[in-house]
Amino acid sequence: MLELERTNFNVAAFLASAGLGRRIVQIAPKHAFFSQGDAADSVFYLQKGRARITVVSQLGKEATITMVGSGEFVGESALASVSGLRLATVTAITHCHALKIGRDEMLRVMHEEHAFSDMFLKFLLERSMRVQADLVDQLFNSSEKRLARVLLLMAEFGKPPDLPRKNDPPPGVEGNNPFTAGSLPRPEDDLSQLIPKISQETLAEMIGTTRSRVSFFMNRFRRLGLIEYSGRIRVHKSLLNVILHDNLSGSLGEEADAE
């Protein structure tokens, strides 16, 4: 019995181009990929740009859950139910290019192409690790350390040097590594990185504190030469010292927490 010859599936090519059941979309800054309560009928692969994920409570209070960047998926909960609704809103921070993949096409390629399903499973595991790290950070770290971690994540210092950063050429199939002990900045990484524009109010939402505390810590980081900002924030790798050591979280940090 003759076996049918099967061509190799190119994951990078699939995620970089439009086709049956998928199309490339461009999202302007401050515009939404989708909103909380919309029908969950597609998954987005972010080819370029930065976006934030937010939720709104029944009382109308908005909270920022996390930031996402190139090489990540959003809206993956659409795969859980045919008639499900979006549980969060994803809004572009910078100009974004994304591949919008219909739910049926996403399920088809996951079932038929093992290379794709392996890559997507890796992404889901990394996202899960990131969520766990966020929870541990929220439970056990000071506001100062939480802010430092968020800034380092936005500067993508947690990515190994062989993975693309957000301003690099179009990414391949690797997802965004969570900022854990196994992916700390390496000596060969860039010494500083600009991050997308973000308000102190949004940073306060992300770390669970007040804007005044964020302002206090940002000014302190700047005085210590750990960051620079004039319109956009430039993060220096030396900010990692705030996470690894307690010597920067002394009386000044305690004074800010007492506000």
Side-chain angles (χ1 to χ4, degrees), residues 110 115-127:
M110 286 179 62
F116 185 90
S117 56
D118 288 348
M119 178 275 301
F120 190 67
L121 177 60
K122 180 182 178 182
F123 160 78
L124 292 178
L125 290 173
E126 289 179 344
R127 173 69 59 85

Side-chain angles (χ1 to χ4, degrees), residues 33-89:
F33 287 70
F34 52 80
S35 299
Q36 186 174 337
D38 288 351
D41 57 1
S42 59
V43 177
F44 290 82
Y45 175 77
L46 192 54
Q47 297 173 331
K48 180 181 179 182
R50 275 296 184 95
R52 67 173 180 150
I53 302 177
T54 59
V55 294
V56 179
S57 71
Q58 291 183 346
L59 298 178
K61 184 176 180 180
E62 183 181 73
T64 298
I65 303 302
T66 190
M67 302 286 183
V68 292
S70 58
E72 295 189 74
F73 291 89
V74 291
E76 64 275 11
S77 60
L79 303 176
S81 173
V82 175
S83 57
L85 299 178
R86 303 287 191 188
L87 301 178
T89 297

Side-chain angles (χ1 to χ4, degrees), residues 15-246:
L15 293 173
S17 59
L20 185 63
R22 67 188 195 277
R23 61 190 177 92
I24 294 176
V25 296
Q26 297 187 35
I27 312 293
K30 298 184 179 181
H31 286 67
F33 287 70
F34 52 80
S35 299
Q36 186 174 337
D38 288 351
D41 57 1
S42 59
V43 177
F44 290 82
Y45 175 77
L46 192 54
Q47 297 173 331
K48 180 181 179 182
R50 275 296 184 95
R52 67 173 180 150
I53 302 177
T54 59
V55 294
V56 179
S57 71
Q58 291 183 346
L59 298 178
K61 184 176 180 180
E62 183 181 73
T64 298
I65 303 302
T66 190
M67 302 286 183
V68 292
S70 58
E72 295 189 74
F73 291 89
V74 291
E76 64 275 11
S77 60
L79 303 176
S81 173
V82 175
S83 57
L85 299 178
R86 303 287 191 188
L87 301 178
T89 297
V90 178
T91 306
I93 298 174
T94 62
H95 193 86
C96 293
H97 293 247
L99 182 69
K100 182 178 181 180
I101 309 170
R103 181 180 184 276
D104 291 342
E105 172 63 7
M106 188 72 178
L107 290 173
R108 181 200 68 78
V109 74
M110 286 179 62
H111 285 300
E112 296 181 5
E113 305 296 347
H114 290 173
F116 185 90
S117 56
D118 288 348
M119 178 275 301
F120 190 67
L121 177 60
K122 180 182 178 182
F123 160 78
L124 292 178
L125 290 173
E126 289 179 344
R127 173 69 59 85
S128 176
M129 290 170 62
R130 170 74 177 273
V131 170
Q132 290 181 48
D134 287 345
L135 179 59
V136 170
D137 187 51
Q138 193 73 23
L139 290 174
F140 298 111
N141 285 336
S142 66
S143 299
E144 184 179 39
K145 285 188 175 183
R146 295 200 301 271
L147 177 60
R149 179 175 176 271
V150 165
L151 293 174
L152 287 164
L153 279 168
M154 293 188 67
E156 298 184 329
F157 278 125
K159 283 190 176 182
D162 57 329
L163 293 183
R165 296 184 186 272
K166 61 181 179 298
N167 294 322
D168 284 348
V173 300
E174 295 290 343
N176 186 31
N177 285 356
F179 189 74
T180 62
S183 58
L184 296 178
R186 301 178 181 182
E188 60 268 30
D189 283 347
D190 295 337
L191 296 179
S192 66
Q193 282 285 346
L194 282 171
I195 67 174
K197 288 185 178 180
I198 185 171
S199 68
Q200 292 188 356
E201 289 84 354
T202 299
L203 288 171
E205 290 173 3
M206 294 180 68
I207 66 173
T209 188
T210 63
R211 182 191 176 282
S212 61
R213 290 183 185 181
V214 168
S215 178
F216 178 90
F217 292 131
M218 292 288 284
N219 286 329
R220 186 171 183 221
F221 292 163
R222 182 166 61 175
R223 288 198 304 271
L224 292 172
L226 305 177
I227 65 171
E228 305 169 32
Y229 60 89
S230 178
R232 287 182 63 184
I233 301 170
R234 178 177 292 277
V235 178
H236 294 275
K237 192 173 63 175
S238 54
L239 183 62
L240 181 62
N241 292 327
V242 176
I243 295 176
L244 297 181
H245 308 291
D246 290 328

